[in-house]
Amino acid sequence: MVNLHRPLGTLIDGVDPVLLTPQNAGWTYTGLRVLRLAPGERRVIDTGEFEAFVLPLSGACEVAADDQLFTLTGRDSVFSRVTDFAYVPRDATVELSTVDGIDVALPMARCTRRLTPRYGPAEGVPVEVRGAGNATRQVTSFGVPGVWEHADKLNACELITPDGNWSSYPPHKHDEASECEVVNEEIYYFRIAGRDGFGFHRTYTADGEIDVDVAVRDGDVFLVPRGYHGPCVAAPGYPMYYLNVLAGPAKERSMAFCDDPSHTWVRDTWATQEPDPRCPVTTAEGVR
């Protein structure tokens, strides 16, 4: 079985923290690059058969593609504010440039249609508080169907889980076409606040072929080819962020899923619990 947990440093590409392609993931559609540009650096990326978002994690940059130029204000960190972003199409030469340096994520998906580059303002990104009690989390839906329609296959969103809370819960899956789900490969890219911070992630299948419980740390990647995934647990003292990247064979983009029927009852308990007041953690204006 493919190693699903890729700790920081195992996907490194030169100075860049993450280079995850469908080939080294062992699947077909979904990929992720995390680039680290030094102050004053310019970088040229050829997208090939992949569409991508350009999502600042820390820092600001300019994005040039197809004779269009976008200035991304970015953010100090994933825990400081909701960021603006850009969409870049397949078969494009993309130039990134930065004055002060940047860590930037490129969630990507293999696709067939070539669209145009487009800018996504931070002010247009919906921020949802999901769950209740110690299952409260923030969902930042910048690149999901119904919010961002300018993509062929690519779906992406961000989550922030306050320290001590659970997210991606109840466990859910999207590995078959059914009344409640579509097939999607999914990437979790984690950032953990605080020195030596950590959290936990679980993925498992009903047939027992996959049954993984791991400690995740800042910069780790986890692959979900199939099966139920969740919870993600932020250890007390260490807020957790993760970027979810999803793509699959469905003709229409969708993030539909099915809960593990053994645990879906937990959703009903939220009606009698208050949401954690720490959520939302961030907005387009900054920390709440």
Side-chain angles (χ1 to χ4, degrees):
M1 185 180 70
V2 173
N3 182 21
L4 303 182
H5 180 211
R6 310 291 180 91
L8 176 66
T10 59
L11 291 167
I12 199 164
D13 178 36
V15 298
D16 296 328
V18 177
L19 175 58
L20 179 70
T21 66
Q23 288 75 18
N24 61 27
W27 56 30
T28 305
Y29 296 97
T30 312
L32 173 68
R33 296 188 70 173
V34 178
L35 308 181
R36 178 164 294 156
L37 276 64
E41 184 177 355
R42 293 178 179 268
R43 187 84 65 88
V44 175
I45 303 294
D46 292 318
T47 59
E49 58 186 331
F50 297 91
E51 61 184 345
F53 292 119
V54 180
L55 182 76
L57 300 172
S58 60
C61 69
E62 287 191 337
V63 181
D66 287 6
D67 298 322
Q68 297 194 50
L69 180 65
F70 307 124
T71 298
L72 302 187
T73 303
R75 51 190 168 185
D76 291 336
S77 81
V78 296
F79 298 102
S80 66
R81 71 180 290 261
V82 174
T83 187
D84 53 354
F85 63 98
Y87 169 88
V88 293
R90 62 166 290 159
D91 300 317
T93 297
V94 180
E95 183 178 81
L96 306 178
S97 58
T98 178
V99 173
D100 298 317
I102 189 172
D103 280 9
V104 59
L106 275 67
M108 58 191 188
R110 179 177 277 129
C111 66
T112 56
R113 287 194 300 143
R114 190 181 195 278
L115 306 179
T116 56
R118 185 168 293 184
Y119 175 72
E123 294 76 15
V125 176
V127 176
E128 175 190 356
V129 176
R130 190 174 296 176
N134 64 353
T136 308
R137 60 277 201 179
Q138 170 180 326
V139 182
T140 307
S141 300
F142 74 94
V144 306
V147 173
W148 183 267
E149 300 296 356
H150 193 72
D152 185 24
K153 292 287 186 183
L154 180 59
N155 307 283
C157 63
E158 301 177 296
L159 284 89
I160 297 179
T161 309
D163 64 292
N165 282 12
W166 294 40
S167 58
S168 284
Y169 195 75
H172 56 282
K173 73 180 184 76
H174 35 74
D175 57 16
E176 59 183 333
S178 69
E179 292 182 358
C180 71
E181 66 182 297
V182 298
V183 178
N184 272 323
E185 306 158 351
E186 183 169 11
I187 297 167
Y188 280 71
Y189 170 67
F190 292 93
R191 301 303 302 262
I192 310 294
R195 181 180 175 86
D196 300 322
F198 67 99
F200 295 96
H201 173 87
R202 173 160 171 73
T203 290
Y204 60 96
T205 55
D207 62 13
E209 182 177 348
I210 298 174
D211 191 354
V212 181
D213 301 276
V214 294
V216 291
R217 292 176 170 81
D218 189 53
D220 285 8
V221 171
F222 196 94
L223 312 181
V224 183
R226 69 183 187 96
Y228 295 106
H229 36 290
C232 292
V233 185
Y238 301 110
M240 170 188 284
Y241 161 99
Y242 49 89
L243 170 63
N244 284 147
V245 189
L246 303 92
K251 184 176 180 180
E252 301 293 332
R253 292 166 63 232
S254 173
M255 294 173 63
F257 61 85
C258 291
D259 284 343
D260 183 336
S262 297
H263 304 294
T264 194
W265 64 269
V266 172
R267 291 187 185 275
D268 295 333
T269 68
W270 296 343
T272 59
Q273 300 178 62
E274 293 294 324
D276 188 324
R278 294 177 292 177
C279 289
V281 179
T282 62
T283 68
E285 288 71 42
V287 176
R288 178 171 168 269

